[in-house]
Amino acid sequence: MIEAAKILEEQKTLERFMREETISRYNRLHDKAQKRGDYSDTHWPFTSAILRYTATALFQLDDRGCSGHH
């Protein structure tokens, strides 16, 4: 049981390190983008990518005359 607790603590430490590194990387990239004038491009990157993909798919359906068909 003690070995399992030790492994769990090591896993928690690793996950904390990975989370901190991810946040640091985001902040570094964000700061660089802000200095270049690309500040707005770093906001909502995943959401905007999903929205672009969804909108493109819907427009393609509409272009084919498929809108309104279920």
Side-chain angles (χ1 to χ4, degrees), residues 12-28:
K12 287 180 183 180
T13 301
L14 178 60
E15 289 177 6
R16 188 177 315 112
F17 171 77
M18 291 169 58
R19 188 172 43 252
E20 290 169 357
E21 285 298 307
T22 301
I23 292 168
S24 293
R25 181 176 183 271
Y26 173 83
N27 287 333
R28 276 193 315 275

Side-chain angles (χ1 to χ4, degrees), residues 1-19:
M1 221 30 195
I2 294 173
E3 186 64 27
K6 183 178 175 184
I7 291 171
L8 182 60
E9 281 305 311
E10 289 174 358
Q11 180 68 29
K12 287 180 183 180
T13 301
L14 178 60
E15 289 177 6
R16 188 177 315 112
F17 171 77
M18 291 169 58
R19 188 172 43 252

Side-chain angles (χ1 to χ4, degrees), residues 4 10 15 19 22 24 30-31 34-35 41 48 52 63:
E10 289 174 358
E15 289 177 6
R19 188 172 43 252
T22 301
S24 293
H30 190 272
D31 290 343
Q34 189 175 20
K35 289 175 184 173
D41 292 342
S48 64
R52 272 195 308 275
D63 287 344

Side-chain angles (χ1 to χ4, degrees), residues 40-62:
S40 63
D41 292 342
T42 62
H43 290 279
W44 301 97
F46 298 113
T47 303
S48 64
I50 291 169
L51 288 173
R52 272 195 308 275
Y53 174 80
T54 304
T56 300
L58 289 173
F59 290 137
Q60 287 173 349
L61 282 174
D62 192 41

